[in-house]
């Protein structure tokens, strides 16, 4: 019996040593220690042996089984390691190959300019306000000193959304300018004020290379005691010089807007010809930039600001023209075209 067991052990260890795959190893495991495995059969038969033999064969067969199991484990680990090694060699995985880049959008050129303007005005102490794009006729016109039958309304025809009799503040319109935010801000915060209000505006325009029905403005409003046009000139010179990173001169011309008195247009010196005159500035040396003026007392009143105590100025300029000049864009209609060939040129 003892001899048989020793032979069995030798065979088993030999089987293990020549096995060259995990599958074969599994068969060997079944063969020796499976339910009807050779070693297990001996252990099962122990109970029928005489006591004398049991004492020797019992521990011996257990020892054989343990040695078999540990040899089997060792070989299994070895074969697994070999297998992994082989896989690593076969499957070439180059960790230096660049991944698949996801397409990332770009920031719209008008947003880029808007953010830049906001930053500069922020640095000069202006807060940034917001107002609705769908506005009441009251805030867009009456409150700004433009009564219903005033000829100034012809300059700003827009899209009317509902009949004026239905609404508390007259009908609803798509705002033609960011100026309504002047009144909303005064109503909300009172004086003094130093704010800008960027936003989308709309007009009923026949569109062409320089006219769009949807465009963007930045409104400015400064109200305090002792505010004059000198403040406005200084602020705009500083703003444009920072924006263009180049010294810019400004000049006022008379202009008409019902919500300012006096009303002005502000031009800045042409950056392409340094004021000498070129095609960009129509040989004048100046670029027309924005409307502005001292806030009309009626507008201060509409905003609930005491016009005997406070005065201030307001301005409004378009972002499109600024962006077109900066980037050399020849047609305003590109901005809302959604054309990726256009938009992708303005990476940030
Ligand atoms: N709201 C005017 C426009 O759209 C511009 C402006 C703003 C003029 C503020 C004067 C004061 O043309």
């Amino acid at each position: 019996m003892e001899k048989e067991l020793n032979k069995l052990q030798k065979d088993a260890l030999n089987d293990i040593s020549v096995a060259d795959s995990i599958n074969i190893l599994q068969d060997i495991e079944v063969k020796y220690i499976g339910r009807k495995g050779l070693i297990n059969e001996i252990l099962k038969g122990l109970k029928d042996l005489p006591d004398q033999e049991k004492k020797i064969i019992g521990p011996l067969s257990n020892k054989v089984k343990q040695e078999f199991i540990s040899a089997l484990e060792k070989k299994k680990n070895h074969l697994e390691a070999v297998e992994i090694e082989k896989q690593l060699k076969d499957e070439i995985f180059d960790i230096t190959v660049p991944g698949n880049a996801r397409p990332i959008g770009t920031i719209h050129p008008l947003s880029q300019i808007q953010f830049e303007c906001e930053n500069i005005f922020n640095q000069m102490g202006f807060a940034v306000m917001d107002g609705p794009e769908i506005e009441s006729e009251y805030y867009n016109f009456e409150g700004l000193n433009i009564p219903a039958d005033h000829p100034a309304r012809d300059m700003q025809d827009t899209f009317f959304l509902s009949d004026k009799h239905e609404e508390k503040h007259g009908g609803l319109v798509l705002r033609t300018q960011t100026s309504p935010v002047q009144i909303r801000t005064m109503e909300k915060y009172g004086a003094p004020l130093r704010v800008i209000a960027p936003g989308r505006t709309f007009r009923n325009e026949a569109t062409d290379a320089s006219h769009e029905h949807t465009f963007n403005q930045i409104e400015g409003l400064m109200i305090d005691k002792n505010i004059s046009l000198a403040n406005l000139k200084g602020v705009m010179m500083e703003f444009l010089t920072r924006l263009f990173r180049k010294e810019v001169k400004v000049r006022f011309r008379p202009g008409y807007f019902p919500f300012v008195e006096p009303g002005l247009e502000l031009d800045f010196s042409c950056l392409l010809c340094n004021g000498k005159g070129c095609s960009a500035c129509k040989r004048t040396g100046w670029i027309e930039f924005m409307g502005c003026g001292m806030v009309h007392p009626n507008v201060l009143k509409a905003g609930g600001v005491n016009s005997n105590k406070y005065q201030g100025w307001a301005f409004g300029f378009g972002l499109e023209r600024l962006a077109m000049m900066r980037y050399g864009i020849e047609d305003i209609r590109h901005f809302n075209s959604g054309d990726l060939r256009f938009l992708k040129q303005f990476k940030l």
Side-chain angles (χ1 to χ4, degrees), residues 156 176-179 182 203 217 219-220 257 259-260 264 291-293 314-317:
Q156 301 191 358
T176 59
Q177 47 190 349
T178 43
S179 302
Q182 287 185 32
R203 284 184 201 177
Q217 290 190 331
E219 191 82 8
F257 303 93
F259 34 95
V260 283
L264 304 158
C292 55
F315 65 76
F317 62 82

Side-chain angles (χ1 to χ4, degrees), residues 137 161-172:
E137 271 190 74
L161 299 180
S162 62
D163 188 75
K164 67 158 56 167
H165 306 296
E166 294 165 14
E167 308 286 337
K168 186 171 148 223
H169 280 317
L172 295 177

Side-chain angles (χ1 to χ4, degrees), residues 126-322:
F126 287 76
V128 179
M129 295 292 132
D130 205 1
E133 292 173 359
I134 296 176
E135 187 55 282
S136 69
E137 271 190 74
Y138 169 76
Y139 282 111
N140 197 78
F141 295 120
E142 277 94 339
L144 288 166
N145 205 29
I146 315 174
D149 46 8
H150 196 284
R153 285 211 179 188
D154 290 350
M155 295 166 21
Q156 301 191 358
D157 189 17
T158 184
F159 303 94
F160 291 82
L161 299 180
S162 62
D163 188 75
K164 67 158 56 167
H165 306 296
E166 294 165 14
E167 308 286 337
K168 186 171 148 223
H169 280 317
L172 295 177
V173 297
L174 294 188
R175 65 175 177 191
T176 59
Q177 47 190 349
T178 43
S179 302
V181 188
Q182 287 185 32
I183 303 178
R184 290 183 173 277
T185 308
M186 286 189 271
E187 279 179 348
K188 194 161 177 193
Y189 298 105
L193 278 179
R194 208 189 297 182
V195 298
I196 57 163
R200 190 145 52 158
T201 49
F202 311 85
R203 284 184 201 177
N204 184 5
E205 296 273 2
T207 55
D208 61 31
S210 51
H211 293 87
E212 253 289 25
H213 49 70
T214 301
F215 56 104
N216 288 266
Q217 290 190 331
I218 292 188
E219 191 82 8
L221 178 66
M222 185 166 182
I223 293 180
D224 209 331
K225 297 167 182 165
N226 301 319
I227 294 293
S228 77
L229 289 174
N231 297 95
L232 176 58
K233 194 168 186 179
V235 165
M236 290 322 290
M237 258 163 63
E238 181 63 21
F239 164 69
L240 291 166
T241 297
R242 288 197 201 183
L243 185 68
F244 293 119
R245 297 185 188 91
K246 186 166 166 182
E247 201 171 320
V248 182
K249 287 204 226 33
V250 301
R251 76 172 183 187
F252 285 133
R253 278 182 297 116
Y256 176 69
F257 303 93
F259 34 95
V260 283
E261 181 60 39
L264 304 158
E265 301 265 357
L266 182 136
D267 304 337
F268 62 78
S269 50
C270 181
L271 299 160
L272 296 180
C273 62
N274 283 321
K276 282 188 206 73
C278 66
S279 60
C281 59
K282 296 183 198 135
R283 320 255 156 232
T284 63
W286 296 93
I287 303 277
E288 289 180 23
F289 181 54
M290 66 177 202
C292 55
M294 296 301 289
V295 180
H296 195 289
N298 287 350
V299 177
L300 291 172
K301 216 175 286 163
V305 169
N306 183 347
S307 59
N308 293 321
K309 227 165 122 191
Y310 290 102
Q311 73 285 128
W313 46 251
F315 65 76
F317 62 82
L319 277 183
E320 277 76 1
R321 191 123 60 88
L322 217 49

Side-chain angles (χ1 to χ4, degrees), residues 61-79:
S61 48
N62 267 324
K63 185 169 155 266
V64 168
K65 186 172 178 179
Q66 286 315 314
E67 283 175 9
F68 171 81
I69 289 174
S70 73
L72 193 81
E73 274 309 300
K74 229 170 127 188
K75 184 71 186 239
K76 203 179 189 175
N77 289 342
H78 172 71
L79 285 178

Side-chain angles (χ1 to χ4, degrees), residues 324-336:
M324 288 168 83
M325 275 192 30
R326 148 145 341 161
Y327 298 118
I329 297 164
E330 82 295 353
D331 193 320
I332 193 171
R333 291 168 294 192
H334 286 308
F335 290 118
N336 286 328

